[in-house]
């Protein structure tokens, strides 16, 4: 406890480790004033390659963590740092990492995988609409809110994230193209598809949820994992995929496409037939926007037809 920042120690009681990551650990903590349980992610700075990289990455990450506001993105409520570590206070996600959920259940039931996948798509759609690319979507970075199958998921770990800012390239493309070399345009097409990297990762995540094992793995055939990825050669083991619907397989196949310009986009995935499932969508929206938690949600609720519409005013009075 002694090496913790004093303010952190004064406000929170840190207890046992609940999660481990390559760049640090996660501890269960109690807010002393309310006894409320929170998670504290401790990231040791020396894990980053170079000092410059560390500060930029971490600053960007902290900025992103504090800026994002979506039900399927982890929220930070406090942030401290010492010379050698960052301490990020986060909401507790008692279901732990998706990685362990899939491992313990071999593979998820299709409707559960669909509910989780829809939430991941919503989270990534929000990030992309705010010019943020996650770039490191994997089962360890998807957290579950409870031990129940039907639960809220949250994306975390923006360590590799990048904020798409106005690039020199974009400005260049505004000027007269007459004197520009061809690679300036072809290079444009590659950076133009940088959002698509998250779509690929979501394809891998969905594959793991449905199949219970990774699509690219050294145990498959004689090619290296890198070669399998570059060739887009994934293996659907029949015994594992026999009970998975053709529509679900179609989503995976359209995301795990090597050419980013041909890969299904996040938007297109949200429109895919597999996700036009009213039951799942209602469950997802009930989890993401629980009634009564947010005035906006209340006002969006359909007032019961005919009966007096109960709406909460700012001062909390019920009005008929
Ligand atoms: C921001 C971040 N990583 N950033 C980075 N590596 N640079 C980050 C990474 C991982 C987490 N993980 C958790 O909050 C987390 C993991 C876990 C496992 C069992 C149980 C719980 N829990 O809250 O009950 C867990 N929470 C939270 C934040």
């Amino acid at each position: 406890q002694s090496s913790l920042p004093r303010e952190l120690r004064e406000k929170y009681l840190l207890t046992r480790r609940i999660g481990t990551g390559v760049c640090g650990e996660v501890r269960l903590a109690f807010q002393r004033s309310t006894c409320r349980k929170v998670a504290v992610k401790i990231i040791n700075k020396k894990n980053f390659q170079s000092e410059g990289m560390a500060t930029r990455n971490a600053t960007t990450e902290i900025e992103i963590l504090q800026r994002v506001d979506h039900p399927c993105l982890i929220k930070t409520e406090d942030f401290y740092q010492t010379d050698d570590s960052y301490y990020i206070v986060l909401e507790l996600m008692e279901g732990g990492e998706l990685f362990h959920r899939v491992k313990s259940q071999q593979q998820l039931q299709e409707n559960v995988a669909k509910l989780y996948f829809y939430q991941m798509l919503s989270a990534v759609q929000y990030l992309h609409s705010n010019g943020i690319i996650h770039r490191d979507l994997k089962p360890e970075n998807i957290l579950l809110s409870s031990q129940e199958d039907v639960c809220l998921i949250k994306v975390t770990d923006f360590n590799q994230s990048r904020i798409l800012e106005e690039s020199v390239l974009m400005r260049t493309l505004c000027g007269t193209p007459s004197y520009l070399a061809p690679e300036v345009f072809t290079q444009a097409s590659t950076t133009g598809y940088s959002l698509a990297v998250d779509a690929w990762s979501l394809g891998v995540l969905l594959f793991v949820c449905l199949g219970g094992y990774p699509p690219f793995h050294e145990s498959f055939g004689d090619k290296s994992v890198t070669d399998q990825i570059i060739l887009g050669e994934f293996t659907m083991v029949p015994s594992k995929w026999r009970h998975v619907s053709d529509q679900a397989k179609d989503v995976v196949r359209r995301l795990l496409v090597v050419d980013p310009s041909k890969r299904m986009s996040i938007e297109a995935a949200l429109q895919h037939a597999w996700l036009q499932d009213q039951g799942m969508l209602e469950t997802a929206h009930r989890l993401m926007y629980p009634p009564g938690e947010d005035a906006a949600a209340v006002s969006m609720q359909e007032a019961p037809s005919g009966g007096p519409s109960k709406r909460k005013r700012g001062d909390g009075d019920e009005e008929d």
Side-chain angles (χ1 to χ4, degrees), residues 18-19 23 26 39 41 43 48 61 65 74 88 90-94 96-97 143 156-159:
I18 47 179
C23 60
V26 183
K41 170 76 179 180
I43 301 169
F48 291 107
E61 171 168 27
L65 280 166
I74 200 84
I88 309 171
L90 307 136
E91 49 194 320
L92 201 66
M93 293 297 280
E94 320 231 19
E97 297 168 2
L143 302 176
T156 186
D157 192 340
F158 296 92
N159 188 29

Side-chain angles (χ1 to χ4, degrees), residues 143-180:
L143 302 176
L144 301 163
S145 61
S146 83
Q147 299 293 349
E148 306 295 319
D149 281 347
V150 173
C151 69
L152 192 60
I153 66 103
K154 290 181 190 269
V155 174
T156 186
D157 192 340
F158 296 92
N159 188 29
Q160 303 302 334
S161 303
R162 290 294 173 276
I163 298 180
L164 278 178
E165 57 257 343
E166 170 81 20
S167 70
V168 171
L169 181 69
M170 289 178 197
R171 272 193 295 281
T172 311
L173 297 178
C174 292
T176 159
S178 318
Y179 305 94
L180 286 179

Side-chain angles (χ1 to χ4, degrees), residues 186-305:
T186 48
Q187 189 229 342
S189 69
T190 50
T191 46
Y193 289 108
S194 54
L195 291 180
V197 299
D198 284 342
W200 173 276
S201 303
L202 284 170
V204 176
L205 268 165
L206 180 57
F207 187 108
V208 169
C209 288
L210 290 169
Y213 67 94
F216 309 104
H217 194 266
E218 56 265 356
S219 63
F220 300 138
D222 51 355
K223 294 192 180 77
S224 68
V225 174
T226 315
D227 286 349
Q228 292 173 41
I229 293 171
I230 288 168
L231 295 167
E233 283 181 9
F234 53 86
T235 314
M236 287 185 172
V237 173
S239 61
K240 288 281 190 177
W241 289 84
R242 191 187 333 275
H243 308 294
V244 179
S245 72
D246 291 344
Q247 282 190 346
K249 288 177 195 163
D250 186 64
V251 176
V252 172
R253 292 191 180 108
R254 289 178 188 275
L255 288 171
L256 296 184
V257 167
V258 174
D259 180 349
S261 68
K262 295 190 175 57
R263 193 175 304 152
M264 181 162 65
S265 67
I266 306 292
E267 298 296 338
L270 280 162
Q271 299 309 317
H272 191 283
W274 188 55
L275 291 171
Q276 306 322 304
D277 169 344
Q278 286 320 312
M280 181 279 289
L281 292 170
E282 274 160 27
T283 304
H285 290 137
R286 174 169 50 81
L287 290 163
M288 290 161 71
Y289 307 102
E293 189 163 84
D294 169 18
V298 172
S299 60
M300 273 191 306
Q301 274 169 340
E302 297 300 313
S305 55

Side-chain angles (χ1 to χ4, degrees), residues 64 67-68 124 126-134 158 161-164 195 198:
I64 291 175
R67 186 172 102 186
V68 294
V124 174
Y126 169 91
L127 288 175
H128 288 184
S129 60
N130 285 277
I132 299 166
I133 315 168
H134 189 282
F158 296 92
S161 303
R162 290 294 173 276
I163 298 180
L164 278 178
L195 291 180
D198 284 342

